[in-house]
Amino acid sequence: MSPAPTAQPWNRKHLLDLQSLGAEDLTLILDTARSFKAINERAIKRVPPLRGKTVINLFVEPSTRTRISFELAAMRLSADVINFSAEASSLKKGETLRDTVRNLESLNADVIILRHSASGAPHYLARFARAHIINAGDGAHEHPTQGLLDAFTIREHKGRIAGLNVTILGDILFSRVARSNIWALLKLGANVTLCGPPTLVPKVFEQMGCRVTWNLEEALRDADVVNLLRIQHERQRVTMFPSLGEYTALFGLNQARMKWVKPDALIMHPGPINRGVEIEGHIADGPQSVILEQVTNGLAVRMAVLFLVTGGRADEAG
Ligand code: ASP
């Protein structure tokens, strides 16, 4: 069973990263998300906690799952939701992010959900914003709600996180998903192994408390969870390995390599999947994959985060 809900109340205005959260904060969010998951399984899925509040999705980088998930999460909590498209906005006419946000606040935005290519952009907004800021992915830094939904999915399947062996395989260096997963999983007591080409998985990650190996068989054999990451081409300014074909040949998860993976290990991926590159399509669609459950759980986790940062009490969720 998962840990009992903690008595500690949520007392943060924003959700900027997982690095600064403790195990109790993380557990509180996961427990709150469990209540919201139950609501999402009801016939009537809308609840009132954010009625009268305005949530703005400020996405200055592409997104499919995260943007739709935050939009639906806010709607399920009865907020008014505005989706801001950077491409069609005055950011294209030279307006600064600060000015854009101050204008949004003049319309009484209560929550601003920011995705940005610059690491630290949400922390910068939090220095002056009146609204609650939620980080929906900042450069290669963090993607806190992805780390939370991954932890939620693992806990739901395995009943715990402490003591599990979690392997994160792929482009660790440029991945915000990797960093948020590492922070959350280590704080919750998992053993985290990182694997991929040495240029994308440098030994320096050991300083965070992870095991680093470039040997795929070793990384897969004792894993209870294998989380696969896409190559983050958009953030690589120089070539980090000879070719995608070579990456797939050395590190792609294929049928032959599945014999190293325990039969009850979870196969995870934050999406978007590049089928045939980091994972063969039939494995992504196969019985060990929980990739679509991650998407389902993301909605509950984002409802929990919106609820808690705006002052909701965990024992009142649901
Ligand atoms: N969707 C995730 C992110 O925004 C993972 C990825 O793009 O590879 O970081």
Side-chain angles (χ1 to χ4, degrees), residues 1 7 16 89 103 114 134 179 201 221 258 269 289 295 312:
M1 258 321 282
L16 303 177
S89 78
N103 278 271
L114 178 69
I134 298 177
R179 284 173 183 74
V201 191
R221 275 210 184 276
M258 278 302 283
H269 193 306
S289 167
V295 179

Side-chain angles (χ1 to χ4, degrees), residues 61-66 115 136-137 139 142-143 146 174-177 229-232 234-235 269-273 278:
E61 235 199 5
S63 173
T64 301
R65 275 153 295 273
T66 308
R115 167 162 292 190
E142 280 222 39
H143 190 345
Q146 182 72 46
F174 293 97
S175 169
R176 53 194 175 209
V177 174
L229 300 179
R230 178 180 68 88
I231 303 296
Q232 307 282 299
E234 65 274 36
R235 276 184 264 288
H269 193 306
I273 294 172
E278 69 272 12

Side-chain angles (χ1 to χ4, degrees), residues 137-290:
D138 62 326
H141 176 230
E142 280 222 39
H143 190 345
T145 55
Q146 182 72 46
L148 289 163
L149 75 89
D150 290 342
F152 183 96
T153 305
I154 295 170
R155 194 180 80 162
E156 193 172 57
H157 273 270
K158 298 287 183 188
R160 67 191 165 103
I161 290 177
L164 292 180
N165 296 327
V166 180
T167 288
I168 308 177
L169 170 60
D171 178 353
I172 309 295
L173 187 60
F174 293 97
S175 169
R176 53 194 175 209
V177 174
R179 284 173 183 74
S180 286
N181 263 268
I182 292 168
W183 288 121
L185 294 170
L186 289 177
K187 282 166 200 254
L188 294 170
N191 309 308
V192 179
T193 296
L194 308 177
C195 182
T199 46
L200 295 177
V201 191
K203 280 275 179 199
V204 70
F205 277 97
E206 286 175 350
Q207 290 175 19
M208 289 175 83
C210 304
R211 176 172 72 133
V212 168
T213 176
W214 304 315
N215 179 324
L216 184 57
E217 180 176 350
E218 190 183 308
L220 294 180
R221 275 210 184 276
D222 64 352
D224 299 301
V225 177
V226 180
N227 197 350
L228 296 154
L229 300 179
R230 178 180 68 88
I231 303 296
Q232 307 282 299
H233 298 287
E234 65 274 36
R235 276 184 264 288
Q236 295 182 8
R237 301 231 161 75
V238 292
T239 309
M240 303 300 285
F241 49 86
S243 70
L244 262 191
E246 185 151 348
Y247 177 83
T248 303
L250 291 173
F251 292 101
L253 189 58
N254 57 28
Q255 197 51 50
R257 290 172 180 155
M258 278 302 283
K259 70 173 185 299
W260 297 330
V261 176
K262 291 199 236 173
D264 63 345
L266 305 178
I267 304 293
M268 303 179 70
H269 193 306
I273 294 172
N274 286 173
R275 287 174 184 261
V277 181
E278 69 272 12
I279 186 168
E280 280 183 356
H282 66 94
I283 300 174
D285 302 330
Q288 289 182 244
S289 167
V290 294

